Amino acid sequence: MALKRMDNMGIVVDDLDATVEFFVELGLELEGRATIEGEWAGRVTGLGDQHVEIAMMRTPDGHSRLELSRFLRPSVVADHRDAPVNALGYLRVMFAVDDLDDTLERLGKRGAQLVGDVVKYEDVYRLCYIRGPGGLLIGLAQELR
């Protein structure tokens, strides 16, 4: 059996509404929101009795999704938001954008902060990392060709 696709990437957040608004400003579309709880959900995650609010965000091309989750029960047990980009594990998601300067300006109004500098990689991309809502690390790339 061959891999068909990556369905989504999950991100645990502390403020679901603010994070949804941030990703909408970036250009993702809210596909839906739901509350997940029950015995079946706890069996999948191994967390037992869980209660989670989720929002599914879709990229404009329809091929990628972010599943934003806010845990009501059990409480969050670890926080990796301040980890540098060379820490082990899943740390960031990167988005391709049309206009990096415009994107930074719009997201700056929603609290995004540049991590380092905007850099040019050869004549192919302009790249940067930002910290978004709740300190989420997000990469932005503008193709130059």
Side-chain angles (χ1 to χ4, degrees), residues 47-77:
L47 294 176
D49 182 29
Q50 71 178 36
H51 186 186
V52 184
E53 294 179 334
I54 66 163
M56 190 65 75
M57 307 295 298
R58 181 180 60 241
T59 57
D61 65 3
H63 294 295
S64 302
R65 288 174 176 75
L66 291 180
E67 181 180 306
L68 306 174
S69 302
R70 183 173 81 90
F71 277 81
L72 304 172
R73 184 179 64 244
S75 59
V76 174
V77 296

Side-chain angles (χ1 to χ4, degrees), residues 103-143:
T103 302
L104 289 172
E105 183 178 328
R106 288 185 297 106
L107 296 179
K109 294 176 184 173
R110 296 207 175 262
Q113 296 180 339
L114 197 59
V115 172
D117 296 319
V118 175
V119 299
K120 187 175 179 183
Y121 173 70
E122 298 180 350
D123 288 326
V124 182
Y125 289 103
R126 289 181 69 221
L127 304 163
C128 70
Y129 288 155
I130 60 172
R131 290 280 178 185
L136 294 175
L137 187 60
I138 299 164
L140 300 173
Q142 176 184 345
E143 195 169 8

